Amino acid sequence: MPEETQRKRVLSLIQPTSVPTIGNYFGALRNWADMAEDYDCIYGVADLHALTVRPEPAALRRQTAEVMAMLLALRLRQGNNILFVQSHVAQHCQLAWVLNNYTQFGEAMRMTQFKEKSSSHADNINLGLFSYPTLMAADILIYQANYVPIGADQKQHLELARNIAERFNGLYGQVFTVPEPYIGKVGSRIMSLQEPAMKMSKSDPNPKGSVSLLDPPEQIIKKIKSAVTDSEACVRYADGKDGVNNLMAIYSCSTGKDFAAIEQEFAGQGYGSFKQAVAEALVEELCPFQEEYKRLLADKAYLEQVAHEGAEAAGRIAQRTTAKAMKKVGLWI
Ligand code: TYM
């Protein structure tokens, strides 16, 4: 990564909590790939964030390497781009601690994800879960990121990061770049196949609700065919047709066709042939990725080398921003 660059910088992370879904893919990862050519991109695995739900240690370690292999399989490490693992760059935690002091309790309390996760993990509402958004703000601000490609569910966290940056800059002068979210028009909120009013999630206990990026073709076809729709038997995008709208979004993301073209293509046909087409398009989209992923995962030494180089390159940028912020607030460094 050159020290001074004219190109805008992009940053985004994904948690290694389990195999990413097509929600993560269409909402975020695919946009990461689209931006990888035109920007200096820093992408990574948010393993520190995953600790908030206390994962099984061996699973966390394994999944971190697996997600790294997925990011490589998506060709996210081209040009000057950096791929790294969050915990390998210690400054994220240092800066997050500083930012905690510029974030109000009330602001953190308002985070929808905190409210949702507190109710789904009622036995473990820990401080990590509560301060999750300030660590996320540190992830972004530490790299002076201009754009952050995310799904709609992370928009509120991004807004908080912007507020923290503006507050800090207001007090101490220009320290952080104020980041902009990049949220795609279609696919920013892929819904569960079984409960289409809820977002598709890696942690959904119902395996039929989500398609993972590693599901084999037969399973993808089965899951799409059993997706909940409605009794109208008409492929059109409309309020109250959450299941069909969701399948249309998946089809649109996989084929590049817009909703009007999709309605026309399936006019007068029932959901059977529509679902078949959605499943086939999805299989076609994911197959090359799955092949490449398997090849990369088998090469552990290469994955370790990528993580090591990523940590060094990311660490150099992170160190500069952290030192600046620490000096500004009066720490003797
Ligand atoms: P995570 O790991 O839950 O999800 C990774 C990305 O996938 C998007 N996403 C979705 N998009 C569309 N439809 C869905 N059903 C869907 N589910 C997930 C998420 O919006 C996200 O962009 N806190 C973040 C990780 C993170 C981060 C960051 C992101 C940590 N630090 C700094 C950006 C910048 C998270 O839990 O994402």
Side-chain angles (χ1 to χ4, degrees):
M1 184 104 196
E3 291 289 299
E4 298 304 334
T5 169
Q6 294 303 306
R7 299 206 323 166
K8 299 268 188 195
R9 197 174 278 158
V10 169
L11 173 286
S12 206
L13 306 186
I14 179 168
Q15 291 194 67
T17 32
S18 65
V19 183
T21 68
I22 55 167
N24 298 121
Y25 180 70
F26 290 126
L29 298 174
R30 237 197 22 179
N31 295 331
W32 296 14
D34 288 344
M35 297 172 110
E37 270 182 41
D38 300 325
Y39 298 94
D40 284 338
C41 301
I42 305 176
Y43 294 132
V45 188
D47 56 345
L48 293 169
H49 278 99
L51 293 181
T52 55
V53 293
R54 205 176 300 162
E56 209 265 299
L60 177 60
R61 241 183 315 272
R62 192 190 67 244
Q63 283 162 195
T64 301
E66 287 171 356
V67 173
M68 195 59 148
M70 288 181 201
L71 302 188
L72 277 169
L74 290 167
R75 306 192 201 304
L76 298 176
R77 194 181 179 243
Q78 46 182 288
N80 287 329
N81 295 349
I82 297 173
L83 289 191
F84 79 112
V85 175
Q86 185 188 29
S87 66
H88 296 181
V89 181
Q91 288 88 352
H92 286 239
C93 295
Q94 269 181 304
L95 184 62
W97 179 255
V98 173
L99 298 183
N100 275 337
N101 303 288
Y102 298 83
T103 310
Q104 295 306 303
F105 187 84
E107 285 178 304
M109 278 299 281
R110 280 197 289 279
M111 294 296 112
T112 326
Q113 188 169 302
F114 173 68
K115 292 184 203 159
E116 282 170 6
K117 288 211 171 163
S118 309
S119 65
S120 60
H121 296 90
D123 56 335
N124 184 19
I125 308 174
N126 57 62
L127 288 186
L129 201 59
F130 186 64
S131 62
Y132 182 115
T134 48
L135 178 59
M136 181 162 160
D139 299 337
I140 300 166
L141 303 182
I142 211 166
Y143 297 109
Q144 310 286 353
N146 301 96
Y147 301 114
V148 185
I150 41 172
D153 63 328
Q154 295 298 318
K155 189 162 178 260
Q156 196 186 29
H157 288 159
L158 202 277
E159 271 161 17
L160 180 60
R162 286 171 56 86
N163 290 342
I164 295 171
E166 278 166 356
R167 187 171 303 150
F168 201 94
N169 289 350
L171 288 166
Y172 303 109
Q174 180 62 35
V175 178
F176 299 123
T177 302
V178 180
E180 300 280 341
Y182 176 84
I183 300 177
K185 281 198 187 69
V186 183
S188 69
R189 200 169 164 78
I190 299 291
M191 311 309 278
S192 156
L193 299 176
Q194 292 300 314
E195 288 176 78
M198 282 169 46
K199 78 165 183 179
M200 185 179 285
S201 163
K202 298 186 205 98
S203 50
D204 187 344
N206 180 355
K208 287 165 77 183
S210 64
V211 173
S212 103
L213 292 190
L214 300 180
D215 280 346
E218 322 78 71
Q219 216 166 338
I220 296 178
I221 294 168
K222 221 162 139 188
K223 285 181 180 177
I224 296 290
K225 285 199 167 161
S226 67
V228 167
T229 47
D230 52 57
S231 55
E232 192 194 31
C234 175
V235 178
R236 64 186 184 96
Y237 197 92
D239 279 350
K241 289 176 67 75
D242 293 348
V244 172
N245 294 349
N246 192 36
L247 291 175
M248 286 178 75
I250 294 171
Y251 191 61
S252 171
C253 288
S254 308
T255 60
K257 294 175 185 170
D258 64 20
F259 291 153
I262 298 171
E263 287 175 1
Q264 218 169 9
E265 182 178 349
F266 296 99
Q269 301 181 45
Y271 294 146
S273 49
F274 173 53
K275 283 181 168 178
Q276 180 69 31
V278 176
E280 280 169 13
L282 205 45
V283 168
E284 201 170 312
E285 172 84 24
L286 296 184
C287 267
F289 159 80
Q290 294 184 351
E291 304 265 299
E292 183 64 0
Y293 164 74
K294 279 182 210 144
R295 193 183 68 75
L296 286 159
L297 191 66
D299 194 347
K300 287 283 175 328
Y302 178 61
L303 291 181
E304 276 170 21
Q305 183 199 331
V306 169
H308 179 75
E309 289 174 8
E312 288 207 330
R316 278 195 289 278
I317 305 170
Q319 175 53 28
R320 234 178 303 151
T321 307
T322 306
K324 190 169 178 186
M326 288 171 82
K327 275 193 198 137
K328 288 283 189 187
V329 299
L331 296 171
W332 187 15
I333 60 162

